[in-house]
Amino acid sequence: MGYVADRWHKSRPKPDEPECGEHKGKVASSVHGKGKRWQARYDGPDGNERTSLHSTKAEAEAEIVRQESAKQTGSWLDPKAGAVTVERFALDSWLPAQNINARSHTEYLGALRRYLIPEWGNRQMRSIRPSEAGAWQQLLTSKYNLSGAYPNRVARYVRGIFKLAVDDRVIPISPFERIPAPTLVESAVHPPDVAEVRQLIAAAYRPMYAAMIEVTALTGLRSGELRGLAVDRIDFLRRTLRVDQQLVYEKGKGMYLDDVKTGAGRRLLPLPRRAVDVLAAHIAHAPPPQSGEWAGLVFMMPGGRPVGESTLDWALKNICRRAGVQPRHWHEIRHHYASVLIGGGENPKVVQKRLGHKDVMTTLRTYAHLFAEAEEQTRDVLDAAWALPGETDGQTESSATSGRIPESRAQEASIVQLNA
């Protein structure tokens, strides 16, 4: 249990010290009359003593009761913890807690330094109000001119900082608690179809690029995952491909192999026979290096260097021009893979797993219109399969108006039941 101390008077005065002129029976301390008189003293859950100043003794006693009660209920917060600045908590606590690779670390840090620290860096965590949180989110578009999905992404980072502060008991509640996040704007993807992908493969001016296009179209690998693919990740017998690393580039460090960004990114892909044949043919034609930093990499440039991201993008632009099709980004070939799965009737969870998305909502947001098209295709297939001669959209006029099963269809149903 804590206790209240009188700052203005000595607790153990010497016998010969003069009495305080304002308070009988007391001996004035060196801070008499300066600041608040009463000090509440109590131990925190960690055993360290905490103090706070109050104008009256009753206020100090009430503070001790409040803190002791908070410790018992598990709702205790260190009153001084919220004094940490936004910059220090973001960089020293939140960023190290993220399970991300070096490339994502650089991305997160850059976003914080561009959009958060200039606005709130020197502010205390506990000082940010909900109205300021909402206003800051507006700045992402009005001041920093961010567009598309990026305002939502940056806001997600910052909202995560304050959520962690709540979990760490630095602040009692996040200022973003009741503030909606910026709308996530996802532009509809229009991936190439099978015919266009075949055109790209045929127009590739190097066999390696043709193989990379076809493998991406058949597996949905990201650019870094494809360029970091090693032969020991391919099980030719079971026809599976293990995705757990990617080739990344970092300024000042160059290219290196790193883990994939998230746990969902680590996945085991089933390989169609065509993908197995393409990979086997490419490996036979251009065997991976047997030793060194890039040992086992399937796709290598002449001279023994891995394929850089910009190199691959530049190659695809040239291939699109040679094929006479619209310019494409490499990620659109990954979208092609997703569109084929969706068109074939795969459910969203399967598509999410194959693509390595963190959650199914990402898959649904990105390919919402493709799922809608697939649903309509399912209706058309069923209507066509069950249509009788003279019916339109699988329904006769009599059945559409009366809601009854036509006599001919009822007879068929009876025959089916008898045969069963």
Side-chain angles (χ1 to χ4, degrees), residues 148-159:
Y150 207 55
N152 180 274
R153 184 187 307 176
V154 174
R156 190 169 69 244
Y157 299 160
V158 175
R159 295 169 75 94

Side-chain angles (χ1 to χ4, degrees), residues 200-215 278 319:
L200 296 176
I201 294 170
Y205 53 92
R206 281 186 180 172
M208 180 185 72
Y209 292 144
M212 294 179 82
I213 292 172
E214 192 159 1
V215 168
V278 170
I319 292 170

Side-chain angles (χ1 to χ4, degrees), residues 284-365:
H285 178 264
Q290 299 298 308
S291 60
E293 183 181 6
W294 312 116
L297 280 194
V298 174
F299 300 108
M300 296 287 290
M301 295 294 292
R305 292 286 297 170
V307 183
E309 184 175 13
S310 59
T311 300
L312 195 59
D313 289 341
W314 180 83
L316 183 58
K317 289 179 182 178
N318 285 338
I319 292 170
C320 289
R321 186 169 57 251
R322 288 164 61 96
V325 300
Q326 62 174 306
R328 293 288 190 179
H329 297 287
W330 197 268
H331 212 70
E332 291 180 272
I333 305 177
R334 170 174 159 86
H335 291 328
H336 162 83
Y337 171 78
S339 71
V340 172
L341 295 184
I342 295 168
E346 290 283 24
N347 68 65
K349 284 296 294 182
V350 171
V351 179
Q352 172 210 345
K353 186 177 179 181
R354 299 290 181 257
L355 293 172
H357 285 161
K358 186 176 182 180
D359 55 70
V360 73
M361 290 308 299
T362 300
T363 309
L364 291 172
R365 284 194 303 265

Side-chain angles (χ1 to χ4, degrees), residues 66-101:
R66 189 178 70 84
Q67 296 294 343
E68 291 295 336
S69 175
K71 286 194 295 183
Q72 293 296 323
T73 60
S75 60
W76 185 85
L77 291 175
D78 184 348
K80 296 181 179 179
V84 63
T85 65
V86 173
E87 179 178 9
R88 290 272 56 84
F89 186 82
L91 301 185
D92 297 344
S93 298
W94 178 78
L95 196 55
Q98 306 309 301
N99 183 24
I100 52 178
N101 58 30

Side-chain angles (χ1 to χ4, degrees), residues 99-104 222 224-225 228 233 242-248 256-263 265-267:
N99 183 24
I100 52 178
N101 58 30
R103 190 180 187 184
S104 295
R222 298 177 176 90
E225 295 168 346
R233 265 67 173 180
R242 178 161 48 93
V243 184
D244 59 2
Q245 70 176 14
Q246 59 183 337
L247 186 68
V248 298
Y256 61 95
L257 292 170
D258 198 1
D259 293 337
V260 294
K261 291 177 64 173
T262 64
R266 289 187 286 274
R267 57 201 189 277

